[in-house]
Structures are given as C-alpha cells and as structure tokens.
C-alpha cells in the first residue's frame, strides 16, 4: 500500500486566497501571494537576474559556440532569452520561455538551405535571376517578421498561459516598413504618426491566452514626444556646430583661405570641411552624429514606450504604466556603449542587464481582479518549423 | 523534505501554494508527492518535463497531469533530480557551470580576452590557410563571376584603340616571365569606368582590370606598366583572395563572439575588425609596391615611373585622397613614395 504523508499546509494558518485586503495584521504571507494586494493598484515588475549570472551564461555560450563551430548558437540564444524572461517577474511570477534550442535550430537549417541556394544561383548563369529573387525575398520579409513575432510570443508563458501574436501581412508591411519610410521621407513630420501606428498595431495584435491586448493612444502625445526629441537633438547638435564654425571662422580671420578665389561663405564651408575631414578625422563627424542619433533615439523610445504602455489594456481591464525617464535611458544607452567599447565587450552582460533591469522595473501592472481567470488558447503550434524560420531570419522587434 | 513553490493549473493562471514532498514521515520511499494549500489530499505525482532555473528565476516543472510547479531558484533542487526525466539532467549541469563566482568570472574574463586576442592574431594565418584550401578552379570561377558582376554594375567597354591595347598588353607580357609559372596565364582586361577615375584592379584569380581613365591619366607607357606591375604583385601574392578569406575568418570570429547578441554590438565588433582588415590591406599594398619595383628593375624599365605617378596623384587629388589613416585600405601616398624611393 502506498503511504501518503501529511499535508504540511494542514496545520498552517491559511494565507493568500482567504486573506482580506493587503495590510491585514499578522505575519506577511510567504512571497508569491501579492495578487490580492495588487488589485486596483500599480505594482512594479521586478527583475531577479544579475550581471554576474549573465556573464557566466554568456561566456559559457561563447566557449560552446567556439567548440561546436557555431552549432550551439540557437541554444545560446535560447539561454540568453530565458535569462531575461525567466527573471522578469510579474506579480512575483516569472515569465517562462518555452522554446528549445532545437526548435530554433530547425528554423536555422531551413533558412541556411534557402540562403545557400540563393548564393549559388549565379552558378546557373541566368542573368538577373539573383536580383529578381532579392526583390522576392524583400517581399517575404513582413511575413517572416510576423512568423518571428508569433514564434516568440507563443513560446512565452506567464503561469501556464501563453502569449500570441496575430500579425497581418499588409499590417506589418505598412507599419514596420512603409509608414516609417514615409515618416523619414517627410523629414520626420509624419514620424510620430508612424510610431503611434506601429506601437498600437503591435500592441493590439498581441494576446494573452484567449484575452486580447488593446491600445489606442493619442496622436498629440506622440507629437509631443517628437518635439521634445527634436529639442534634445538641437541642444546636443548646436554647441558642436557653433564650436566648429567659430574655429573655422577663426582660421579664416588668421588669413587662411580655403576656397582660392571663392566667396566668403564657400570659404567658410570649406574651412569647416577641412577641420572635420583633415584636421580631426574623416569619421569624426559621422560618428559623433551617429552617437547623437543613438542618444536621442533612446530618449524618443522611452517617451513613446511610456505613451503606449499607458494606453495599453488587457481585456477585462488590466492596465499598465511605464515610468521610464527619457534622459535616464539615453544616459544608460550612451554610457553602456562607451563602457562596452572600452572593455572590448567584457562589460556587455553588465550593460545589457543594466538597461533591461531599468526598463523592467519601471513598468507597472494594475489588475482589477485576481489574475486567475486567464485561459490558454491550447494551440501548441508555437513549435512549428514555419514559425521558427521567421525567428531564424534574425528579425526582432523589441516590445 | 518539503520543496515549497507555486502550483499553476494546466493552461490557466489559477495558482495555489503547494509543496513537493520527498521522504516525509509516512511517505513511501522513492515517491514524489504533491501537497496543495487548498485542502486537496496529498497525491503522488511524476515530473514530465523540467526547464531548469537560470539566474534568479524559477525552475519550471511540468507534472504528468499538465499542471506546472514553479520552484524558487534559491531552493536546492538536487534531491528532486532523481524524479526528473533523464534529458533534463544535462541542462541542470550546464546551469551549475554557468553559476560562476567571482573567481570563475575572472578566469572566464581572462579566457574571453585571450579569445579576442586569439581571433585577432589568427585572422591572417587562418585566412591565408583557407585561401590555400580553395581549389584553383573555384577561384577562377569566382574571379570571372566578379568580373561579370562588375561589368553589369560599374564597367563600360574600353574606348582605347586596339593598337594601344595591343601595345600595353605586349608591354605587360614582358613582365610575366619574371613571375612564378602558376601566374603566367594572368589575363589583362581593358574596361572603362568614368565614375571611378584612374585605377586598376587585381581580381581573386589571375585577372587584372585596367581602366581607360588610368591610361589617360598616365603620361607614358612606363607609368602604365608600373601600375600593372603593382597589380601583378597583388595577383602573385593572391591578395584579393586572401582578403576575402581573411574577411570570412573575421565574420566567423565576430559571429562567435556576439552571434547571439543585439545587432548594435555586432556593428561595433564589425567596426573593430574592419580596422584590422584595413591595416592588413595597407600591408598588401606596400608588398605589391615592393614586388612591382623589383620586376620593373629586372625588366630594365623606368623604376621612377610609379613614383612619378603617385606624386601626380597626390598633387591632383590633394588631402582628400591622402590615405594612410587607420581606416584606409591604402597607405598614404607620401609613405608609398618614400618606400619606393628607398
């Protein structure tokens, strides 16, 4: 006969489920039962990973990738993702990343075969065949992106309910490719509109189990973010230009002529060019500009993230909030880049954890009931090779 | 022993505090039992699948019933391992190796730096070895494909009169007996490319392309011959092929280091390695200059011609194409001239 031990909970005072309110007297319930107390108030997400953890994972990965001549890369990716998701705790429960390295590997094999065939095409000797197929591959991109987003969503679970993503081909083509390009072509005038469209599109195509996400943010808020970003860009860019032009003008006053018999303005332009390209370094200007773009880009991302999460709803009224500061994120991104370069990549895990932790811990969730009513859609298609193909195409949109 | 955690019902967000029990008083040996807080009697369970904890996250155990049991990472789950499916054990071992302390991290950091240094210093030898392993007919095939592509995208037909082409070719062929027999079949192709300016190229195989613009720019045949000798130097040392294979080694090295990373850091690694490749390209140029000067002397031609050409280039182009910085593929014109003069 099988003996069953005594239930260790039998003699303990019950907690969690039956406890009334949050601040009730007596001992705090063991961690993990914040659900009731979290109702109708914002609770921060937590991140329980450390840079040291990631450091170990990363370096063991590098060694395994080197030893297996690259075959380990899909497994390395999975461990990397698992580290970030698993340590992201929403109301005390971590996310689970369910994909295995082998799932990713299958997608990689398919993509590798397609690419090999593609690069071998010129051997056939048909003119313009490769160019024609390149266009075709470009058209496949939105589809592959949808697949990739779906693969990662379906392999992400909270408790035992998985996320999902239902992108449409035209929706992704418009929001990820055409609209942003239009935004840039209009000198940024339509860029906030494109950002809003993309963020709302992503948000409302995600679902958690059978419950859908929904977001409709205000266009004015996005233009506000765009304007602030422009001001920051000018604040960083102008002092640089003034410094440059005054140096150049100084050189001209000292009697140096750069334009031969040209007029003053072309002389000044040439002097600026001369200082940039010859006296400093041909790459100094593009690199500085790139750096400024990166910093302002981070600032803009932070502001639009706040807007999007602020308007995000999960069916039955779960609300979210992002309290990321644009300047802090820009500072983190800028200093991370410098530290990673200076440390030849050694500090990369630390930099990534620092940025991820900041974003996570400035994200909040506000349920209106206990979050026990969500049901998984029960489709196990998240492991299909087709979806993994998109994933292997190395396409990612950070959410 | 009791292992406390959370039990989530299959396919839902319903969750209850629970504990896995092993060797508790009254429990049959070698059994795994589950106790739930919400009054359900203790039942015997088995584990279907495990995702080991990583960092400070939870271990995720899927029970045979489909329910999920999350165990805090701080819990020592080793006494539970006999109940895990066998395939899981490997993952657990990996997780244990990854959990390095300060000492382990230091060792790994040193290994990492050694790896970077190793990749940096193996670019040249590994790339050159790879170049030797490529079968010659593949190289020839690749070379003619490159020429085809360039013809489609950049080059136009040469406008040089046939007489002039023949004279230059005959001149060029006087150099061939001076190089190893393997390169005696080096072909000279005449093309035009107004967008590129005065230039000549060596392709990965035994092919040299001479642009009309260079012939126009050069003052006499000795200059053209000097440039062709320089390109022949590239051919004999297989510089184009070795650049390609060294580039491949760099690409492999970068993907090993940051293959599972954000793209921005891949860009940085790529930028760092392009510095190394540019430096090696400048070494190639200097080597080709040296070879060219030797052959010109052996052929009894004007060895001052190449120097004159570079000086003219420097004078007409100005500071913009001076070259020689850490990013340039060619050494500075001044350095090349002074190297040739010595």
């Amino acid at each position: 006969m099988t003996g069953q031990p005594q239930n260790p909970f039998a003699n303990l005072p019950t907690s969690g489920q039956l406890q009334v309110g949050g601040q009730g007297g007596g001992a705090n319930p063991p961690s993990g039962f914040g659900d009731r107390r979290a109702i109708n108030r914002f609770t921060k997400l937590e991140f329980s990973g450390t840079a040291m953890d990631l450091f170990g994972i990363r370096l063991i990965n590098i060694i395994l990738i080197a030893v297996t001549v690259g075959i380990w890369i899909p497994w390395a990716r999975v461990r990397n993702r698992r580290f970030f998701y698993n340590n992201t705790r929403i109301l005390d429960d971590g996310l689970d990343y369910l994909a295995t390295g082998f799932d990713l590997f299958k997608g990689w094999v398919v993509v590798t075969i397609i690419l090999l065939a593609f690069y071998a095409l010129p051997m056939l000797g048909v003119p313009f065949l490769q160019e024609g197929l390149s266009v075709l591959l470009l058209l496949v991109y939105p589809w592959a992106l949808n697949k990739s987003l779906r693969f990662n969503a379906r392999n992400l679970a909270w408790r035992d309910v998985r996320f999902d993503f239902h992108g449409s081909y035209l929706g992704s083509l418009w929001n990820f490719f055409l609209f942003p390009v239009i935004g840039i072509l209009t000198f940024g005038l339509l860029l906030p509109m494109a950002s809003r469209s993309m963020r709302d599109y992503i948000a409302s195509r995600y679902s958690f189990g059978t419950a859908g996400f929904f977001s409709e943010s205000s266009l004015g808020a996005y233009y506000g973010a765009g304007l602030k970003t422009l001001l920051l860009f000018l604040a960083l860019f102008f002092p640089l230009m003034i410094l440059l032009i005054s140096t150049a003008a100084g050189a001209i006053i000292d009697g140096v002529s750069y334009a031969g018999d040209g007029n003053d303005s072309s002389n000044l332009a040439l002097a600026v060019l001369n200082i940039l390209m010859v006296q400093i370094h041909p790459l100094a200007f593009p690199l500085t500009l790139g750096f400024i773009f990166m910093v302002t880009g981070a600032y803009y991302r932070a502001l639009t993230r706040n807007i999007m999460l602020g308007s995000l709803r999960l069916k039955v009224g779960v609300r979210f909030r992002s309290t990321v500061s644009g300047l802090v994120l820009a500072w983190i991104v800028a200093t991370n880049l410098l530290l990673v370069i200076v440390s030849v990549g050694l500090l990369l895990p630390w930099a990534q954890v620092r940025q991820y932790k900041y974003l996570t811990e400035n994200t909040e969730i506000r349920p209106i009931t206990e979050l026990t009513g969500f049901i998984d859609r029960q489709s196990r298609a998240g492991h299909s090779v087709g979806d993994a193909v998109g994933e292997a195409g190395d396409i990612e949109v950070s959410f | 022993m009791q292992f406390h955690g959370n039990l989530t019902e299959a396919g839902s967000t319903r969750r209850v505090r629970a504990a896995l029990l092993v060797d508790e008083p009254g429990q049959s040996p070698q059994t795994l039992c589950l106790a739930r807080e919400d009054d359900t009697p203790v039942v015997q369970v088995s584990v279907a699948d495990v995702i080991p904890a990583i960092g400070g996250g939870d271990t995720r155990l899927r029970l045979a019933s489909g329910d999920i049991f999350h165990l805090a990472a701080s819990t020592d789950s080793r006494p539970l391992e006999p109940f895990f499916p066998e395939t899981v054990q490997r993952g657990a071992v990996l997780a244990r190796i990854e959990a390095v302390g300060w000492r382990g991290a230091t060792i790994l950091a040193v290994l990492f730096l050694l790896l970077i240094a190793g990749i940096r210093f193996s670019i040249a030898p590994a790339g050159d070895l790879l170049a030797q392993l490529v079968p010659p007919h593949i190289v020839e095939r690749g070379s003619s494909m490159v020429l085809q592509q360039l013809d489609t995208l950049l080059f136009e037909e040469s406008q040089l009169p046939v007489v002039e082409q023949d004279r230059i070719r005959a001149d060029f062929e006087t150099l061939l007996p001076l190089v190893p027999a393997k390169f005696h079949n080096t072909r000279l192709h005449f093309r035009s490319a107004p967008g590129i300016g005065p230039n000549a190229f060596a392709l990965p195989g035994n092919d040299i392309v001479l642009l009309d613009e260079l012939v126009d720019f050069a003052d006499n045949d000795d200059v053209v011959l000097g440039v062709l000798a320089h390109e022949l130097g590239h051919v004999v040392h297989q510089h184009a092929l070795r650049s390609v294979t060294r580039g491949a080694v760099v690409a492999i090295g970068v993907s090993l280091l940051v293959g599972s990373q954000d793209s921005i850091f891949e860009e940085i690694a790529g930028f760092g390695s392009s510095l190394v490749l540019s430096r090696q390209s400048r070494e190639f140029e200097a080597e080709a200059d040296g070879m060219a000067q030797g052959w010109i002397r052996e052929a009894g031609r004007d060895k001052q011609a190449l120097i004159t050409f570079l000086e003219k280039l420097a004078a007409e182009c100005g500071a913009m194409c001076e070259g020689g910085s850490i990013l340039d593929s060619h050494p500075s014109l001044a350095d090349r001239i002074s190297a040739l003069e010595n």
Side-chain angles (χ1 to χ4, degrees):
Chain A
M1 205 188 102
T2 316
Q4 301 295 23
Q6 203 194 359
N7 189 328
F9 295 104
N11 301 324
L12 291 174
T14 47
S15 63
Q17 306 288 328
L18 296 177
Q19 189 181 352
V20 181
Q23 314 300 328
N28 282 329
S31 76
F33 283 79
D35 242 42
R36 281 219 87 135
R37 285 174 297 155
I39 290 168
N40 282 327
R41 51 194 268 188
F42 282 103
T43 306
K44 281 182 187 298
L45 269 54
E46 284 162 36
F47 188 72
S48 56
T50 64
M52 189 62 121
D53 295 332
L54 185 60
F55 194 74
I57 293 164
R58 190 59 55 73
L59 288 170
I60 298 289
N61 270 342
I62 288 175
I63 291 168
L64 285 173
I65 289 171
V67 169
T68 60
V69 232
I71 295 176
W72 183 255
I73 288 178
W75 281 267
R77 249 168 197 257
V78 165
R79 294 201 74 72
N80 208 32
R81 290 225 178 105
R82 226 169 239 175
F83 167 78
F84 284 106
Y85 287 135
N86 214 335
N87 287 295
T88 304
R89 306 185 81 91
I90 303 171
L91 301 177
D92 264 347
D93 287 308
L95 293 164
D96 288 315
Y97 187 66
L98 305 174
T100 66
F102 191 60
D103 293 331
L104 264 71
F105 180 72
K106 285 183 281 190
W108 279 52
V109 169
V110 175
V111 170
T112 308
I113 291 172
I114 293 173
L115 284 183
L116 279 182
F118 180 73
Y119 286 118
L121 277 179
M123 300 275 185
L124 292 178
V126 182
F128 297 111
L129 185 63
Q130 199 175 28
E131 286 79 1
L133 281 174
S134 309
V135 176
L136 210 68
L137 276 187
L138 217 61
L139 290 176
V140 167
Y141 216 78
W143 172 84
L145 186 63
N146 283 341
K147 289 282 185 191
S148 166
L149 285 168
R150 183 159 88 171
F151 178 82
N152 283 313
R154 284 193 173 174
N155 279 302
L156 195 61
W158 185 69
R159 296 192 182 166
D160 197 31
V161 174
R162 284 166 307 128
F163 291 81
D164 204 347
F165 181 81
H166 315 269
S168 71
Y169 179 83
L170 289 178
S172 292
L173 179 68
W174 173 248
N175 285 298
F176 294 129
F177 302 97
L178 299 182
F179 208 174
V181 170
I182 293 173
I184 292 165
L185 289 182
T186 54
F187 299 103
L189 273 182
L190 294 183
L191 211 51
M193 199 188 259
S195 306
R196 169 181 178 254
S197 174
M198 178 164 86
R199 288 225 179 240
D200 282 354
Y201 170 75
I202 298 177
S204 41
R205 294 301 174 128
Y206 267 100
S207 57
F208 178 60
T210 52
F213 282 95
F214 177 76
S215 164
E216 196 167 293
S217 41
S218 101
L219 187 58
Y222 276 92
Y223 270 96
L227 195 67
K228 281 188 196 166
T229 309
L230 185 67
L231 289 178
L232 178 68
F233 178 80
L234 293 178
L236 292 172
F237 188 67
F238 257 121
L240 209 71
M241 284 316 285
I242 289 170
L243 183 76
L244 207 60
I245 290 173
S246 58
T247 318
I252 291 170
I253 291 165
D254 288 345
V256 190
S257 175
Y258 294 93
D261 50 320
N263 57 26
D264 280 354
S265 66
S266 74
N267 198 8
L268 185 64
L270 275 176
V272 168
L273 215 60
N274 177 60
I275 288 172
L276 275 178
M277 307 284 290
V278 182
Q279 294 186 12
I280 307 178
H281 194 276
L283 278 177
F285 187 66
L287 283 182
T288 313
L289 201 61
F291 189 72
I292 292 178
F293 270 128
M294 216 180 77
V295 168
T296 47
Y299 179 79
Y300 183 66
R301 271 206 313 282
L303 297 191
T304 51
R305 180 185 199 267
N306 289 350
I307 299 168
M308 190 265 270
L309 279 170
S311 67
L312 184 68
R313 300 281 182 280
L314 178 59
K315 202 191 76 180
V316 296
V318 181
R319 287 174 56 188
F320 302 85
R321 189 162 73 183
S322 165
T323 54
V324 173
S325 147
L327 289 176
V328 173
L329 187 65
W331 170 252
I332 290 178
V333 166
T335 47
N336 273 357
L337 182 72
L338 294 178
L339 286 170
V340 168
I341 293 175
V342 167
S343 68
V344 259
L346 210 54
L347 286 179
L348 183 58
W350 179 82
Q352 285 177 328
V353 167
R354 177 180 176 221
Q355 183 177 338
Y356 189 89
K357 193 177 163 84
Y358 176 71
L359 288 176
T360 305
E361 293 186 344
N362 281 288
T363 307
E364 303 172 2
I365 183 170
R366 179 180 184 271
I368 50 168
T369 57
E370 277 188 77
L371 292 178
T372 52
F374 292 94
I375 298 166
D376 199 48
R377 200 184 283 276
Q378 303 291 349
S379 56
R380 291 281 157 190
H383 290 262
S384 86
V385 177
D387 289 350
V389 164
E391 154 64 35
D394 227 350
I395 341 176
E396 252 180 294
V397 173
S398 57
F399 183 39
Chain B
M1 269 172 285
Q2 304 177 359
F3 299 88
H4 286 260
N6 296 321
L7 185 79
T8 303
E9 288 176 17
S12 79
T13 49
R14 254 192 312 282
R15 186 191 64 161
V16 59
R17 267 206 315 166
L20 287 172
L21 310 175
V22 179
D23 283 341
E24 280 290 285
Q27 183 176 1
S28 308
Q30 267 108 56
T31 58
L32 182 68
C33 288
L34 176 78
R36 297 171 60 137
E37 187 189 37
D38 55 353
D39 247 48
T40 322
V42 173
V43 288
Q44 195 177 328
V45 290
S46 62
V47 178
D49 190 25
V50 179
I51 298 179
I54 191 161
D58 295 343
T59 304
R60 183 187 203 261
L61 285 75
R62 192 159 56 80
L63 306 179
S65 63
D67 294 347
I68 308 295
F69 187 85
H70 278 111
L71 194 67
S74 53
T75 316
D76 179 10
S77 63
R78 264 176 285 190
L80 287 174
E81 277 173 21
F83 301 98
F84 291 176
E86 222 172 90
T87 47
V88 176
Q89 319 270 349
R90 287 194 295 263
V93 170
L94 194 60
R96 225 162 281 150
I97 300 173
E98 284 168 354
V100 291
W102 278 107
R103 205 158 41 151
T106 314
I107 295 170
L108 284 175
V110 171
L111 273 178
F112 177 76
L113 294 175
L114 283 177
L115 195 66
I116 291 186
I119 290 175
R120 159 68 185 85
F121 291 109
S122 61
I123 292 173
D128 293 352
L129 180 70
L130 204 60
Q132 280 175 22
L133 294 178
V134 184
H137 70 274
I138 299 277
V139 177
E140 289 298 310
R141 188 78 201 257
S143 191
S144 70
M145 266 164 53
V146 170
L147 187 58
Q148 259 178 35
Q149 289 278 342
L150 289 172
D151 278 341
T152 332
L153 298 171
L154 276 178
F155 293 161
E156 294 165 15
E157 251 176 74
S158 170
Q159 304 298 321
L160 282 187
V162 180
V163 193
E164 206 174 338
Q165 288 193 12
D166 286 344
R167 201 183 62 238
I168 294 174
R169 181 168 281 126
D171 237 8
F172 171 68
E173 280 167 1
T174 60
L175 293 177
L176 290 179
L178 305 173
V179 305
K182 214 175 130 188
F183 305 101
H184 282 177
N185 66 344
T186 302
R187 294 163 294 267
L188 182 58
H189 307 270
F190 291 91
R191 296 287 189 279
S192 168
I196 298 182
N199 218 330
F201 308 92
L203 299 182
N206 298 350
D207 292 291
I208 292 173
V209 179
L210 178 64
L211 298 182
D212 290 0
E213 289 72 19
L214 188 123
V215 180
D216 294 340
F217 185 81
D219 299 317
N220 57 54
D221 285 355
D222 280 337
V223 172
V224 176
L225 189 69
V227 171
L228 288 178
H230 171 92
E231 300 306 327
L232 190 60
H234 284 315
V235 169
V236 168
H237 284 280
Q238 298 187 299
H239 285 159
L241 177 63
R242 282 159 67 199
S243 297
V244 172
T245 50
R246 286 179 181 194
V249 171
V250 166
I252 294 168
V254 168
S255 72
L256 287 188
L257 286 176
V258 290
S260 51
Q261 301 297 315
D262 292 0
S263 61
I264 174 83
F265 296 107
E266 211 166 336
E267 305 297 332
I268 297 171
F271 183 74
S273 49
S274 76
L275 293 183
V276 177
L277 288 178
S278 303
R279 181 202 163 101
Q280 297 183 350
S281 167
R282 294 195 298 275
E283 288 167 6
F284 282 171
E285 294 304 326
E287 195 176 25
D289 277 347
M291 297 303 294
Q293 206 66 337
W295 290 325
I296 293 292
R297 196 177 330 115
E298 272 185 72
R301 299 290 290 262
D302 179 13
K303 71 190 190 66
Q304 200 59 35
L306 195 57
I307 298 172
T308 320
F309 169 72
L310 293 176
E311 278 168 355
K312 188 175 174 193
L313 208 58
E316 302 226 341
C317 193
M320 290 291 190
C321 48
E322 177 55 34
S325 85
I326 53 169
L327 281 160
D328 285 306
S329 66
H330 284 60
S332 77
L333 291 172
D335 284 350
R336 291 179 69 182
I337 291 166
S338 75
L340 284 172
E341 279 171 344
N342 299 322

